[in-house]
């Protein structure tokens, strides 16, 4: 009968004819038959099953085997013996070099017929040993899947005892070497199915023998932490982790992170490879294990590992959001990586170029998964904006991309940031920040944030960029009896000459710290600036008093006496004077008091007080107070005009409030009126800077800095509860109060009073109004009558005859921006540029210095953005538009520098002369040596870090290039089916790139 069957199978008849003949043979096999005939048929069917070159032949072999196993059990058991199986497993079947791949399938098929036979236990014992030997030989994924299928169907064949643990470990080793060699979608799906069968076997073993789990995980960690492997272990290992019970997670992670035998390099290699597992499709709990290990490393303060891994892997994790099949897990890992990386903006900034494109792709996908991910991603991005504010130039494209998505409230943002930080102790991460390889391309140096010290950093950078002040500080002689000024000199010198990308202002912070400030808390930068300037001023005054006493003892030369009895440096640079006058409206008596100031605090007009269109650049005719009403005796009021101030004050029907649109100088008694168009046009023709006014004109409903200054200079009516006690009348009387600037500072500091106390919330709230900032500002300064006449005759500064005022021009040089909604929180950063005189040395120095318009135009002078350690190029356009893009980022403190003119000619001459005599400031020996030593130390640190980083990077596992995911054309809709980024569409190549 075997000969007949073999002849039929090997014949050239059609399959349907063959099938009929085979049926007859199989039916005949169900009848009683002698042992010799049974053996012949079993040998033939075994040959067909194991070596058949077609699926049809193998199917015939299978059918015959099943018939003889069922109807001739004794003969089958005798044939299917231990020796035969051992030969199959160890030597294979078929000609040498063409061994059958179906041995395991054959054994699984035959086992079902010998389960109750006396030889069953012997067979099981053999198979327990042989399957262990097989997995130690590292079979292919297909063969491993067959072993798993065999052991799943016949668990009696699973190795036991110590062999079982070894079997699990070796099976994991096999999985670690799995590779899918084909890019065809069907082959990939088959590969995934094979991996799932193998990992499913591990799950089955672990369920019955939990003692095998920990040794298995130890082997897994050994594989992924190995730095000796030439090829990275397969991502298929992710399928193993998904079956580890989550209740074991805490113990496993704790043991790993506290194991001293595991080196940092091994740990970093392991976590890097685990993070690559986010690309494994359909894996469960993989993200939970990755996050748990990251948290475990943070708990034992392995910050160097966390930083290196985050920066090297975060872009790859982000790219996986393109794929719906792995998006959920990738997003969870991304959220933790970003929210925990709070000591530096580096990780978030790596993603900025990719965010708009990813957002566009998710919007195009238009699925529930994409919509949910977009909302979570937007929330994450806003958290990063909040934590790392001060980068408007980088954030604008991202903000544009997510503008239509929901914005989380501040409480939600603080909650997310608070619960995910690696550590609550900021100083624990100080040594890891900043991770900057070299100086900014700007050549400027940043300042390290020492824990909410951005308020100080922004002020120091603004003072440093005030070049006249900086040169004066750097030129101070050694032993000047001014300890705080000396520390500032050292800080400025390091900012000027250090090779570091950023330096720590810790020494200066401790010396300049206002005693009422809370350590580690956000502070008001304006308050700090006032305190700092006052301290520096008082310190120098104290030195002057000491030298005055030495002079009286005849121990001081006349030269030194002259030097020390002049104004202090703070007075020279930032000091101005203001005259406050109060006029009694009954007797018209005027009392006045002159005060010094270092900054002007500009309040916002009440909402119902609107100053109509003012330009950014104020022509001189537009500056100055106006009268409310013609005085009864105009001769008493020369140079002291009055109008009603602040709409919130009590109003008098006899003197209705006049909106301050243009504040022109007028003769006493002359009626107030806005400037005519002709007057403005004439002025524009004279002054080329008037063009800037058109460029930077404020929107109709917004405020401008000139609006706030005009409001500040506008007289206010003192009535009702605010009546003035007139000494001449000896009673309370209605009065008018006005402030007039009598001396303009060299550097004008303007503080916009954005913070006010809210009695309902018991907190200081912030006024978020956008205020347009002029690049050039004209300020009215009150001068003596003889000075006014002299100015008018020479034509300088366009003072109006008889008005008592002259116009002084200022250039914007720094803007400190506050990002946030209250003074107790948020972030400070600043825009700055260096404003210097470019007057040729040959120009006559007769007190007639004139603004030179043939110099570099103001808009062309380079702006810089200082944000703690980061310094970047910027522009006046960015300064002007920052609040438009980021409503919580508002200008707070402004620095203007006075142009050479009548009032400031002596100081400008002195500064120019000092510049010609000394050139760049020469630092004293100790300071130069300190900077030189620190630069050498920095180079040594760089060399050491480069070596360490090279060692770390060399251990990072090689993985497919993450940017392929972004470089693919997402607009190609020609393909469909599969698992592409867009809702399941796309070719097999993209899926292969995802997983492997």
């Amino acid at each position: 009968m075997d000969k007949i069957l073999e002849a039929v199978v090997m014949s050239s008849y059609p399959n349907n004819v063959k099938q009929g003949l085979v049926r007859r043979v199989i039916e005949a096999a169900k009848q009683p038959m002698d042992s010799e005939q049974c053996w012949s048929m079993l040998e033939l069917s075994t040959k067909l099953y194991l070596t058949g070159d077609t699926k049809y032949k193998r199917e015939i072999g299978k059918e015959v085997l099943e018939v003889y196993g069922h109807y001739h059990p004794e003969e089958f058991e005798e044939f299917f013996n231990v020796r035969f199986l051992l030969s199959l497993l160890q030597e294979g079947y078929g000609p040498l070099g063409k061994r059958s791949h179906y041995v395991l399938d054959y054994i699984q098929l035959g086992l079902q017929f010998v389960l109750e036979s006396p030889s069953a236990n012997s067979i099981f014992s053999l198979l327990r040993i042989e399957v262990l030997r097989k997995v130690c030989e590292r079979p292919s994924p297909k063969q491993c899947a067959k072993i798993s299928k065999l052991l799943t169907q016949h668990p009696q064949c699973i190795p036991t005892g110590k062999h079982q643990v070894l079997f699990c470990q070796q099976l994991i080793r096999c999985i670690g070497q799995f590779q899918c060699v084909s890019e065809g979608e069907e082959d990939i799906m088959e590969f995934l199915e094979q991996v799932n069968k193998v990992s499913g076997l591990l799950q089955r073993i672990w369920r019955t023998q939990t003692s095998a789990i920990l040794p298995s995980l130890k082997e897994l960690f050994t594989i992924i932490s190995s730095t000796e492997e030439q090829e990275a272990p397969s991502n298929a290992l992710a399928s193993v982790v998904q079956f580890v019970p989550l209740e074991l997670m805490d113990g496993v992670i704790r043991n790993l992170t506290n194991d001293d035998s595991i080196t940092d390099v091994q740990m970093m290699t392991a976590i890097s490879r685990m993070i690559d597992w986010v690309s494994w499709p359909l894996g469960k709990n993989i993200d939970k294990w990755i996050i748990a290990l990251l948290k475990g490393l943070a708990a034992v303060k392995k910050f160097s590992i966390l930083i290196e891994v985050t920066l090297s892997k975060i872009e790859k994790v982000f790219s996986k959001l393109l794929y719906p099949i792995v998006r959920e897990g990738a997003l969870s890992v991304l959220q933790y990586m970003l929210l925990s990386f709070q000591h530096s903006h580096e990780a978030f900034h790596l993603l900025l170029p990719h965010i708009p494109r990813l957002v566009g792709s998710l919007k195009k996908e238009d699925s529930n998964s994409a919509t949910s991910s977009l909302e979570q991603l937007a929330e994450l991005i806003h958290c990063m904006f909040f934590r790392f504010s001060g980068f408007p130039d980088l954030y604008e494209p991202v903000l544009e991309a997510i503008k239509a998505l929901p914005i989380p409230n501040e409480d939600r943002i603080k909650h997310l940031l608070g619960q995910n930080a690696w550590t609550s102790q900021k100083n624990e991460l100080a040594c890891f920040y900043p991770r900057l390889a070299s100086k900014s391309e700007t050549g400027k140096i940043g300042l390290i944030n020492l824990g909410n010290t951005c308020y100080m950093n922004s002020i120091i950078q603004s003072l440093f960029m005030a070049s006249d002040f900086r040169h004066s500080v750097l030129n101070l002689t050694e032993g000047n009896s001014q300890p705080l000024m000396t520390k500032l000199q050292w800080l400025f010198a390091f900012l000027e000459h250090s090779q570091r990308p950023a330096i720590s202002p810790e020494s200066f912070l401790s010396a300049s710290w206002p005693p009422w400030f809370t350590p580690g808390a956000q502070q008001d930068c304006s308050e700090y600036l006032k305190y700092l300037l006052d301290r520096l001023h008082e310190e120098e005054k104290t030195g002057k008093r000491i030298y005055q006493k030495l002079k009286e003892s005849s121990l001081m030369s006349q030269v030194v006496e002259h030097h020390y009895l002049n104004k202090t440096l703070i007075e020279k640079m930032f000091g101005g004077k203001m005259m406050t006058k109060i006029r009694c409206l009954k007797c018209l008596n005027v009392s006045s008091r002159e005060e010094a100031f270092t900054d002007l605090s500009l309040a916002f007009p009440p909402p119902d007080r609107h100053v109509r269109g003012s330009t950014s650049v104020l022509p001189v005719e537009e500056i100055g107070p106006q009268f409310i009403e013609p005085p009864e005796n105009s001769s008493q009021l020369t140079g002291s005009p009055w109008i009603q101030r602040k709409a919130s004050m009590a109003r008098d029907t006899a003197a209705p409030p006049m909106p301050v649109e243009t504040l022109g100088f007028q003769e006493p008694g002359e009626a107030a009126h806005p400037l005519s168009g002709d007057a403005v046009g004439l002025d524009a023709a004279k002054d080329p800077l008037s063009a800037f006014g058109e460029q930077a004109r404020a929107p109709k409903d917004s405020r401008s800095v000139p609006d706030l200054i005009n409001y500040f200079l506008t007289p206010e009516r003192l009535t009702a509860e605010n009546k003035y006690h007139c000494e001449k009348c000896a009673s309370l009387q209605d009065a008018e109060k006005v402030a007039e600037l009598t001396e303009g500072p060299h550097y004008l500091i303007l503080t916009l009073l954005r913070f006010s106390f809210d009695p309902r919330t018991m907190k200081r709230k912030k006024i978020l109004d956008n205020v347009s900032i002029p690049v050039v500002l004209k300020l009215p300064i009150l001068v003596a009558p003889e000075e006014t006449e002299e100015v008018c005759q020479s034509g300088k500064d366009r003072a109006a005859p008889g008005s008592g005022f002259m116009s002084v021009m200022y250039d914007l040089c720094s803007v400190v921006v506050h990002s946030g909604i209250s003074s107790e929180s948020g972030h400070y950063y600043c825009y700055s540029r260096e404003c210097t005189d470019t007057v040729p040395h040959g120009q006559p120095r007769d007190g007639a210095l004139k603004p030179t318009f043939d110099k570099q135009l103001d808009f062309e002078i380079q702006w810089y953005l200082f944000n703690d350690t980061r310094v970047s190029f910027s522009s006046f356009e960015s300064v002007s538009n920052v609040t438009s893009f980021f409503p919580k980022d508002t200008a707070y403190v402004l620095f203007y520098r006075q142009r050479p003119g009548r009032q400031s000619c002596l100081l400008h001459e002195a500064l120019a002369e000092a510049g010609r005599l000394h050139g760049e400031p020469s630092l004293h020996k100790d300071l130069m040596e300190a900077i030189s030593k620190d630069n050498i130390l920095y180079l040594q640190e760089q060399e050491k870090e480069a070596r360490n980083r090279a060692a770390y990077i060399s251990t990072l596992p090689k993985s497919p290039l993450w940017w392929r995911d972004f470089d693919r054309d997402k607009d190609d809709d020609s393909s469909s089916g599969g698992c592409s980024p867009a809702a399941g569409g796309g070719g097999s190549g993209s899926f292969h790139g995802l997983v492997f």
Side-chain angles (χ1 to χ4, degrees), residues 345 348-349 381-393 395 433 449 454 522 817-820 825-830 865-868 870 882 886 888-889:
H345 54 258
F348 177 51
H349 284 192
I381 292 170
H382 282 291
C383 286
M384 295 297 100
F385 283 168
F386 182 87
R387 179 65 186 86
F388 305 116
S389 56
F391 301 93
D393 50 337
Y395 293 169
Y433 183 70
N449 191 315
C454 53
Q522 185 60 276
V817 176
H818 177 262
S819 175
S825 63
H827 179 64
Y828 289 100
Y829 57 94
C830 74
L865 175 57
F866 295 89
N867 186 5
D868 289 335
R870 181 179 183 268
V882 63
F886 302 92
K888 295 179 184 177
D889 291 28

Side-chain angles (χ1 to χ4, degrees), residues 344-583:
S344 164
H345 54 258
E346 291 174 273
F348 177 51
H349 284 192
L350 286 173
L351 305 181
L352 294 179
H354 313 303
I355 291 175
R357 186 168 182 179
L358 175 69
V359 170
S361 178
L362 292 178
K363 286 180 178 176
K364 184 179 178 182
E365 182 181 315
D366 192 26
S367 66
N368 291 337
S369 167
T371 302
S372 173
S373 298
L374 271 175
E375 292 177 357
Q376 293 179 68
L377 183 63
E379 182 177 71
L380 188 58
I381 292 170
H382 282 291
C383 286
M384 295 297 100
F385 283 168
F386 182 87
R387 179 65 186 86
F388 305 116
S389 56
F391 301 93
D393 50 337
L394 297 179
Y395 293 169
E396 283 179 16
V398 177
L399 191 67
E400 180 67 23
I402 64 170
K403 64 182 180 182
L405 298 170
I407 300 174
N409 60 45
E410 189 167 334
D411 289 340
R412 170 67 177 166
I413 290 174
K414 288 179 177 178
H415 171 73
L416 289 172
L417 291 172
Q419 70 177 7
N420 287 288
W422 285 336
T423 173
S424 59
Q425 304 300 316
K426 294 181 177 61
N427 58 345
E428 290 182 341
L429 286 163
C431 59
F432 299 104
Y433 183 70
R435 288 185 68 251
L436 303 174
S438 59
K439 250 186 183 180
S440 160
E441 61 180 352
T442 64
K444 305 296 181 183
I445 296 174
L447 290 169
I448 294 174
N449 191 315
L450 302 172
N452 281 330
T453 57
C454 53
Y455 66 91
M456 178 189 72
N457 291 349
S458 57
I459 290 299
I460 289 174
Q461 294 286 19
S462 297
L463 292 174
F464 178 79
M465 293 296 285
S467 53
D468 299 330
F469 178 64
R470 178 178 75 244
H471 288 139
S472 299
V473 171
L474 292 175
N475 275 320
L476 287 175
T477 57
E478 194 174 5
N480 52 49
S481 301
Q482 300 178 60
L484 184 58
M485 185 67 83
T486 300
K487 285 187 179 294
L488 183 62
Q489 182 187 42
W490 277 62
L491 184 56
F492 277 7
F494 272 82
L495 284 173
E496 184 97 349
H497 299 289
S498 178
Q499 293 301 312
R500 295 181 182 274
I503 59 175
S504 170
E506 187 172 5
S507 177
F508 188 76
L509 173 65
S510 60
S512 63
W513 183 275
W516 61 89
F517 276 15
T518 304
Q522 185 60 276
Q523 306 294 344
D524 188 329
C525 75
S526 172
E527 188 177 1
Y528 173 77
L529 175 60
K530 288 182 175 70
Y531 176 79
L532 175 61
L533 296 182
D534 186 58
R535 275 279 306 278
L536 294 171
H537 169 68
E538 291 299 326
E539 189 177 79
E540 189 174 348
K541 276 176 61 179
T542 302
K544 291 180 185 294
R545 286 196 293 269
I546 294 173
Y547 276 90
Q548 179 64 32
K549 291 181 180 178
L550 291 175
K551 177 208 171 190
E552 292 170 359
S553 304
S554 301
L555 297 176
M556 188 172 71
S557 68
Q558 291 299 313
V559 176
V560 176
E561 172 191 350
H562 175 75
H563 173 77
Y564 275 92
L565 294 183
N566 279 336
K567 289 180 176 181
T568 67
L569 178 60
I570 299 303
E571 287 177 313
K572 291 175 186 175
M573 292 293 164
F574 305 102
K577 291 183 180 177
M578 183 190 314
M579 182 76 73
T580 303
K581 298 179 181 179
I582 302 179
R583 180 185 70 161

Side-chain angles (χ1 to χ4, degrees), residues 46 61 65 91 117 227 351 551 600 612 843 982 991:
T46 298
L65 281 170
E91 300 173 15
S117 70
T227 58
L351 305 181
K551 177 208 171 190
L600 294 179
R612 282 177 288 172
Q843 182 168 322
F991 187 57

